[in-house]
Amino acid sequence: MDSADARDVSRADENGAAELQSLAVQLRRMTGEINRLVHAFAHDQGLHATDVQALGAILDADEPMTPGRLREHLGLTSGAVTACVDRLERAGHIRRSRESTDRRVVHLHYAPSAKPAARTFFRPLAEAAARARAASDEGELSAALRFLTLMNEELSRLGASAPRR
């Protein structure tokens, strides 16, 4: 490789590092803003921020969530998950049910009556997302969705290997 090629590779590495740093900054900023909304919602509802994380996990689950799976997802002790589930149930955000033949299995469900409060509180976030979507073309949206999906998969792998509390 001649010196011109080496300079091109070096510049590409520098540009890639700068783009990665810019991406990290934007992800941190977005995470910070979303966390601010989550904390405000938690405070408004008399919950902990972890309770709102639990609520999101229950909403996003592909199958009925159980306290054990919630414990694994959040990386909490069984006692902490029980306290979290109790707070969510008392606040009217979830309900517990025993729907299987094994009566020991408890399923956690998002309570439909809780949706209006969440919808109202998070409407500004939905509107901001709609404005950002309207300012983007389909290719940008597809690339962003693909990146976020891959990033979440990578973060899930990191979380799976993280030490549990």
Side-chain angles (χ1 to χ4, degrees):
M1 176 181 320
D2 68 18
S3 61
D5 289 339
R7 280 193 301 272
D8 288 345
V9 168
S10 178
R11 247 183 258 118
D13 288 346
E14 288 173 11
N15 288 341
E19 286 176 353
L20 187 58
Q21 182 176 358
S22 294
L23 182 62
V25 167
Q26 293 304 318
L27 286 171
R28 276 194 306 272
R29 286 184 61 199
M30 185 175 69
T31 300
E33 291 301 319
I34 290 172
N35 282 340
R36 185 179 56 77
L37 288 170
V38 165
H39 284 277
F41 178 74
H43 182 268
D44 185 67
Q45 296 294 306
L47 302 171
H48 299 197
T50 303
D51 301 344
V52 181
Q53 286 181 312
L55 210 47
I58 293 166
L59 273 169
D60 295 343
D62 293 332
E63 57 188 299
M65 183 63 77
T66 64
R69 284 186 38 237
L70 187 59
R71 180 186 59 74
E72 290 172 11
H73 179 78
L74 296 175
L76 299 174
T77 64
S78 59
V81 167
T82 298
C84 171
V85 169
D86 287 347
R87 282 189 301 272
L88 288 170
E89 189 173 43
R90 270 194 311 274
H93 289 281
I94 65 164
R95 65 178 177 80
R96 290 175 169 118
S97 68
R98 297 182 189 276
E99 297 176 3
S100 70
T101 55
D102 183 348
R103 299 291 294 156
R104 296 172 295 179
V105 177
V106 174
H107 290 156
L108 307 173
H109 303 277
Y110 190 77
S113 61
K115 287 182 182 178
R119 199 174 290 131
T120 298
F121 199 91
F122 288 105
R123 181 171 286 124
L125 177 60
E127 290 168 351
R131 286 190 302 274
R133 185 183 190 286
S136 304
D137 66 40
E138 288 303 316
E140 291 170 320
L141 291 172
S142 293
L145 181 58
R146 187 174 60 251
F147 172 80
L148 291 172
T149 299
L150 292 169
M151 190 69 188
N152 283 324
E153 289 170 1
E154 291 296 327
L155 291 173
S156 290
R157 275 193 277 284
L158 288 176
S161 64
R164 297 295 178 189
R165 295 181 248 175

